[in-house]
Amino acid sequence: METRNNTGAIFKNDNKKAENHPDYKGKVNVNGKDMEVALWMKTSAKGVKFFSVSFSEPFVKGEPQINKNEPQINGTLKQPSYVNLDANDDLPF
């Protein structure tokens, strides 16, 4: 299914197997960028029902997955830098 600019479609997730899986999933196009969307039905502390929403880059099979917690530069994983200290060097703490 192709989405036009600033449109999309969301469907009930018939493959939901765990509580943390979304209740609804779909694809949207925002300002020319295709995204996947996931929605969870929730209830507030006051009993008001609402949707919690998450957007993500489309999944591409075979493409390496990036850990969102790792430091990145322009979407690529930043290599950690290490400092070599001799045993006699003073530590700043």
Side-chain angles (χ1 to χ4, degrees), residues 3 21-24 27 32-33 36 52-53 61 65-66 80 92:
T3 53
H21 292 173
D23 296 301
Y24 295 87
K27 296 186 182 202
K33 183 172 176 90
E36 291 181 353
S52 174
V53 181
K61 188 175 182 175
Q65 298 299 304
I66 296 174

Side-chain angles (χ1 to χ4, degrees), residues 51-66:
F51 285 109
S52 174
V53 181
S54 173
F55 293 91
S56 61
E57 298 283 333
F59 175 77
V60 177
K61 188 175 182 175
E63 188 173 287
Q65 298 299 304
I66 296 174

